[in-house]
Amino acid sequence: MNIYVGNLSWNMTSEDLENLFTPFGSVASAKIVTDKFNNNRSKGFGFVEMANDDEARTAISQLHDTEILGRNIVVNESTPRPEGERTFTKKPYGAGGGNRGGSGGGFNRGGTGGGYNRDRGGNGGGEYNRY
């Protein structure tokens, strides 16, 4: 069984997570998810895989909402992500920020929205507005 463990302390390691579940049975793997763009800092959650479902259910019931390193952890059975679902959505080119004030964003050439507005107002209207 795959188990989700959330609200973890930033200081907790994968080894600490494994040691937390070992008293309840055999732990096949334990991994804290880290942010590869932020110096591999913990994202505050992880997954534990246990071979025996009965042992996993006991661990879930005993550990859910207990205080570990100053935080009440969340422990429940992990459910697989629906097929094709992504963890992030990418904005199309030109959407989003990129201007100072006004609306629009990105670096569109002409039209509404876009670019860098020197006047800090208005609603875009080009790549670079000097007035």
Side-chain angles (χ1 to χ4, degrees):
M1 177 184 292
N2 200 12
I3 302 167
Y4 167 83
V5 186
N7 201 33
L8 295 173
S9 166
W10 307 118
N11 299 322
M12 192 166 199
T13 66
S14 293
E15 185 179 339
D16 294 334
L17 187 60
E18 181 177 352
N19 292 337
L20 183 64
F21 280 80
T22 300
F24 299 98
S26 177
V27 175
S29 68
K31 174 98 171 102
I32 292 181
V33 178
T34 58
D35 184 354
K36 64 182 176 181
F37 299 111
N38 198 3
N39 294 326
N40 287 325
R41 181 178 168 208
S42 168
K43 287 191 171 188
F45 68 95
F47 296 93
V48 174
E49 189 174 348
M50 297 183 75
N52 184 301
D53 287 356
D54 290 334
E55 292 172 350
R57 285 187 191 91
T58 301
I60 290 170
S61 66
Q62 295 293 312
L63 292 173
H64 179 71
D65 202 31
T66 59
E67 186 178 327
I68 306 295
L69 297 175
R71 301 187 70 154
N72 286 2
I73 63 172
V74 174
V75 183
N76 51 42
E77 185 175 348
S78 176
T79 55
R81 191 179 315 148
E83 187 66 32
E85 185 177 315
R86 296 174 58 173
T87 57
F88 66 93
T89 56
K90 186 174 181 181
K91 291 182 179 181
Y93 183 76
N99 62 350
R100 290 179 150 179
S103 63
F107 291 97
N108 303 336
R109 293 192 184 265
T112 60
Y116 179 87
N117 294 321
R118 264 276 159 101
D119 61 357
R120 297 184 181 192
N123 64 350
E127 184 177 28
Y128 186 89
N129 295 331
R130 287 193 186 269
Y131 307 105

